[in-house]
Amino acid sequence: MKMVIAIVQDHDSQRLNDKLTKNDFRNTKLASTGGFLRAGNTTFLCGVEDERVDELLKLIDDTCGNREQTVAPVTPMGGNADSYIPYPVEVEVGGATVFVLPIEQFERF
């Protein structure tokens, strides 16, 4: 048994949740916030049998694609402004950060 923790951008959250449900992957969804862009994320917790881990990872990969997004710069509050970029920049967002952890015991009540 494995615990799969997938952190995805909110933009992909509903589509991933629909696909997890359709493919019989039970999950718990948690709201979270990313550090770099301070954007909303969703963290999915899925307990899954060892033989279905690859299927789950493929589903996440197919659903949560990378894309370019223009972001406005954050004005520096004190400190060194030498590295401050005063114009919007293109950054790559999306995708998923996934952790697969071994589970010793699993109970459902």
Side-chain angles (χ1 to χ4, degrees):
M1 190 88 178
K2 301 285 192 245
M3 169 64 72
V4 176
I5 303 170
I7 305 163
V8 304
Q9 194 176 38
D10 279 346
H11 178 84
D12 298 319
S13 168
Q14 189 58 50
R15 286 186 313 130
L16 180 58
N17 191 51
D18 292 345
K19 287 186 180 184
L20 291 174
T21 302
K22 180 181 176 187
N23 288 280
D24 198 30
F25 287 106
R26 293 178 180 226
N27 67 83
T28 298
K29 214 169 85 159
L30 305 171
S32 52
T33 303
F36 176 64
L37 297 176
R38 293 178 178 81
N41 291 325
T42 301
T43 300
F44 288 89
L45 306 175
C46 301
V48 62
E49 297 81 13
D50 290 344
E51 59 273 3
R52 293 196 71 200
V53 170
D54 289 339
E55 178 187 353
L56 176 57
L57 295 177
K58 173 119 177 69
L59 194 144
I60 294 168
D61 185 35
D62 291 346
T63 306
C64 304
N66 291 330
R67 59 196 156 277
E68 295 290 320
Q69 178 177 324
T70 303
V71 294
V74 177
T75 306
M77 301 294 282
N80 187 353
D82 292 341
S83 62
Y84 176 67
I85 302 170
Y87 49 86
V89 293
E90 290 278 325
V91 295
E92 188 175 287
V93 298
T97 301
V98 181
F99 302 91
V100 180
L101 309 169
I103 299 297
E104 278 188 38
Q105 184 174 343
F106 172 76
E107 302 289 337
R108 182 177 293 142
F109 299 106

